[in-house]
Amino acid sequence: LITHKHGNLRILEIGAGTGGTTFNILNTIGDRFDSYLFTDISAAFFDKARVKFLPHVEAGQIKFGVLDIEQDPLPQLGESDLGYDLIFATDVLHATTEIAETIANVRKLLAPGGMLILNELTAPPLWIQMVFGLMPGWWLYSDPEKRDTECGGPTLAIESWINELEQAGFDKVVAIPDCEENPIHTVFIARAPSAVTQLDSDTP
């Protein structure tokens, strides 16, 4: 995953917020990437992130962009920002109206063979629901049949995430829960089909 066959990695983070996930990613991969696009639904976090990751900003490795992943990303980012090798999102995608449409928008941004790495709530404890359930954004979803009816709220169970990712065209999906029983968080690694696989699937 670290080195792409055509050069170093192009990375996109969706809903980067305060940069907590960004910090851990950069500590792991060091300088082995060409570009890192730090995005959020608004630019409110960008000034602090520029200071926090100043060496990478000065080196031209990290750039910033507003991205509403519920909308078509192409008009927002442009054709030049397609083809990412790695896309990260932490506790972001569930907080959208239509999960299938959201995942399809993410899929558009990946290069053939690229990887999507999600960290999502899959069995939130009661206190999380009590806190976030008081916020209007917790109830934005319009596809309750796809959400985890046992837990309530917008989160999806592990099996539902796997199904949605496979339905969106990812050909390899792996789930890594934080524990065996009632995992609160689960990391999902999903791979977009390679160019050869896509060509084969399009051939009559």
Side-chain angles (χ1 to χ4, degrees):
L1 287 177
I2 295 300
T3 302
H4 190 261
K5 64 181 179 180
H6 298 304
N8 287 345
L9 296 169
R10 297 185 71 230
I11 302 172
L12 167 67
E13 185 177 355
I14 300 170
T18 59
T21 297
T22 315
F23 179 82
N24 289 322
I25 294 169
L26 295 179
N27 275 350
T28 300
I29 67 174
D31 290 324
R32 291 170 289 183
F33 66 98
D34 279 341
S35 65
Y36 194 116
L37 183 58
F38 181 110
T39 72
D40 207 280
I41 198 168
S42 80
F45 295 104
F46 292 174
D47 287 344
K48 289 185 178 179
R50 287 189 179 95
V51 174
K52 188 173 186 177
F53 306 114
L54 184 59
H56 292 291
V57 174
E58 291 180 335
Q61 291 176 302
I62 294 184
K63 296 183 178 180
F64 301 84
V66 173
L67 175 63
D68 180 356
I69 199 58
E70 290 195 75
Q71 307 300 320
D72 187 346
L74 304 189
Q76 300 179 70
L77 300 180
E79 294 287 341
S80 62
D81 276 316
L82 297 180
Y84 286 92
D85 303 305
L86 284 174
I87 295 180
F88 292 91
T90 297
D91 286 332
V92 172
L93 300 193
H94 73 268
T96 57
T97 305
E98 293 279 350
I99 196 65
E101 185 174 347
T102 295
I103 294 175
N105 287 337
V106 175
R107 174 74 177 77
K108 292 178 182 179
L109 294 167
L110 274 169
M115 306 286 283
L116 169 63
I117 301 178
L118 303 179
N119 185 15
E120 281 284 351
L121 285 164
T122 47
L126 182 59
W127 72 265
I128 288 182
Q129 298 182 67
M130 291 178 66
V131 171
F132 290 99
L134 299 175
M135 300 179 180
W138 190 252
W139 307 104
L140 284 178
Y141 61 93
S142 61
D143 52 357
E145 72 283 357
K146 296 185 177 183
R147 310 296 172 141
D148 188 352
T149 54
E150 182 177 344
C151 293
T155 60
L156 284 75
I158 292 176
E159 296 77 11
S160 297
W161 274 114
I162 292 173
N163 180 65
E164 291 299 322
L165 290 165
E166 289 178 343
Q167 289 293 318
F170 289 92
D171 64 2
K172 298 289 183 181
V173 181
V174 176
I176 308 172
D178 58 5
C179 61
E180 292 185 3
E181 294 185 8
N182 298 320
I184 295 176
H185 271 95
T186 300
V187 173
F188 298 90
I189 303 174
R191 188 185 72 183
S194 66
V196 173
T197 303
Q198 289 177 322
L199 181 62
D200 290 343
S201 65
D202 292 339
T203 303

